């Protein structure tokens, strides 16, 4: 079950409450009876794998692919194409 942080708008009392998703939010401060407000904080997220870092630049990878593609096209233009296979008779 998630833990939610609340703060009172009247007395600035802050506390955490463990509630399920289906429960209604708390609205009354247990200290003074004032109105409560949910506090939202940062969430710790970890990205695993390649592609999430500044050093993983697509510019270098694209240059490698382009150079290999040009070398393939250069080598294929110098050779003759393979003869077509004849269809099998039934």
């Amino acid at each position: 079950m998630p833990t939610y942080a609340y703060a009172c708008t009247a007395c600035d009392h802050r506390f955490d409450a463990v509630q399920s998703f289906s429960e209604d939010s708390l609205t009354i401060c247990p200290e003074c009876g004032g109105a409560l407000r949910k506090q939202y904080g940062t969430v710790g997220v970890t990205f695993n794998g390649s592609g999430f870092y500044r050093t993983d630049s697509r510019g270098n990878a694209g240059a490698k692919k382009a150079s290999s593609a040009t070398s393939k096209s250069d080598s294929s233009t110098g050779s003759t194409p393979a003869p077509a296979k004849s269809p099998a008779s039934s």
Side-chain angles (χ1 to χ4, degrees):
M1 289 202 318
T3 302
Y4 296 101
Y6 288 95
C8 179
T9 57
C11 69
D12 203 33
H13 173 69
R14 296 175 187 269
F15 64 97
D16 294 336
V18 178
Q19 296 176 293
S20 70
F21 290 111
S22 61
E23 287 183 54
D24 292 332
S25 297
L26 301 177
T27 56
I28 299 172
C29 176
E31 294 286 318
C32 71
L36 286 178
R37 184 171 62 101
K38 264 189 183 177
Q39 298 288 303
Y40 296 98
T42 59
V43 177
V45 177
T46 303
F47 293 104
N48 294 323
S50 63
F52 295 100
Y53 304 98
R54 184 176 281 247
T55 57
D56 293 340
S57 175
R58 289 187 179 185
N60 293 339
K64 289 178 186 176
K65 288 180 184 177
S67 65
S68 65
T70 57
S71 66
K72 286 180 184 177
S73 64
D74 292 342
S75 64
S76 65
T77 57
S79 63
T80 58
K85 292 183 180 180
S86 60
S89 344
S90 47

